[in-house]
Amino acid sequence: MLMFLRELIRSDDAGAAPNDDLLMAAGGCRSGTDLQEIWRYSVERGWTGSNKLGSAGTSPNQINLPARMYVDQRTRDLGQGRQGFVAMWFDPSMDKAYKKGIKPAICAAGYKPRLIKEKDFLGKVDDEIVAEIRRSRFIVADFTASKKAGARGGVYYEAGFAQGLGIDVIHTCRQDRMKAVHFDTNHFNHIVWKKPKDLREQLQRRIEAILGQGPLNPSSDER
């Protein structure tokens, strides 16, 4: 419900009509029936002015103040405000970029980094990725890729999924591979880095500039 309302608010702030596909993804809906149930619940709680079923005198674009208040409060209460998901190429050549660049930058900014290969889980990895992105306040998407393999499809998918949910995406790429970034996304403001140290400094500044200092103590052992 939190992600459903965040998507409604995002579209409302953009002056656009809600997109059912994005709402279904945000709400974890398996069918149109699930989406209708979420709409009904949001109307009953007074969060929206429409039940999406064509009731007279209602508008699907009506987002009421209690919805914004609920989202603000739940975002503060949940881990939503603590975690930064990392999408990147899992190649040994990128280990230093993560361990000496991305991870310490996220920690220094007061957030908890989440790299899926560092997590123990059962089930399918793609389900875990989607779940962790939903739990995150932002994601760092590094588009560095090998010359042979080309674009990292998984990174593009994860960045697009997060953006569709209204989650902030910070784009990064190693300088020598920046020209290989796909034209659909190369217009975004990327952090272009040469060494892990450069990446760490720029990324920490970007996180703090966009999101502010996170809730975790940078010296905390909680990682």
Side-chain angles (χ1 to χ4, degrees):
M1 179 54 71
L2 174 62
M3 300 307 297
F4 172 81
L5 291 175
R6 288 187 70 190
E7 172 56 26
L8 277 180
I9 291 170
R10 184 199 66 78
S11 61
D12 185 60
D13 290 345
N19 181 291
D20 282 354
D21 290 336
L22 292 179
L23 289 175
M24 288 184 67
C29 300
R30 296 166 296 179
S31 66
T33 301
D34 288 350
L35 181 59
Q36 289 180 345
E37 288 299 318
I38 290 182
W39 272 109
R40 288 193 184 97
Y41 184 77
S42 67
V43 172
E44 291 171 359
R45 295 297 299 269
W47 290 331
T48 66
S50 170
N51 60 9
K52 201 65 175 176
L53 298 178
S55 299
T58 62
S59 167
N61 296 336
Q62 181 64 45
I63 312 299
N64 299 323
L65 179 60
R68 295 179 181 272
M69 295 173 65
Y70 172 82
V71 169
D72 286 345
Q73 184 61 49
R74 292 297 290 163
T75 298
R76 287 193 294 269
D77 292 345
L78 299 176
Q80 191 76 14
R82 299 159 56 94
Q83 179 166 291
F85 185 84
V86 180
M88 64 182 298
W89 179 24
F90 294 156
D91 185 80
S93 66
M94 294 294 291
D95 286 349
K96 286 186 178 180
Y98 176 70
K99 294 178 180 179
K100 296 186 177 182
I102 295 174
K103 183 175 183 177
I106 293 175
C107 292
Y111 297 90
K112 177 182 178 181
R114 170 58 73 196
L115 188 69
I116 199 65
K117 74 174 185 177
E118 293 185 336
K119 180 183 179 181
D120 293 323
F121 60 88
L122 298 174
K124 298 190 297 183
V125 66
D126 50 348
D127 290 340
E128 287 296 321
I129 288 172
V130 167
E132 291 297 340
I133 290 175
R134 289 183 185 279
R135 297 187 185 108
S136 299
R137 175 64 184 86
F138 64 96
I139 84 165
V140 175
D142 187 272
F143 293 88
T144 305
S146 68
K147 294 181 180 180
K148 183 177 180 180
R152 306 301 304 176
V155 176
Y156 284 88
Y157 171 80
E158 291 155 28
F161 181 73
Q163 190 169 356
L165 295 179
I167 297 172
D168 290 305
V169 179
I170 299 176
H171 300 72
T172 71
C173 186
R174 198 172 64 205
Q175 186 180 52
D176 64 317
R177 299 304 300 148
M178 188 61 199
K179 290 184 178 180
V181 175
H182 198 275
F183 69 87
D184 282 342
T185 59
N186 63 12
H187 57 282
F188 288 113
N189 184 19
H190 287 67
I191 292 175
V192 181
W193 56 276
K194 291 183 179 180
K195 299 179 180 180
K197 181 181 178 181
D198 302 329
L199 176 57
R200 174 177 179 168
E201 294 173 353
Q202 293 184 71
L203 180 57
Q204 181 181 347
R205 288 198 300 268
R206 182 70 58 86
I207 294 170
E208 293 175 344
I210 296 174
L211 305 169
Q213 182 69 29
L216 301 180
N217 186 325
S219 63
S220 171
D221 290 333
E222 183 177 3
R223 292 290 183 261

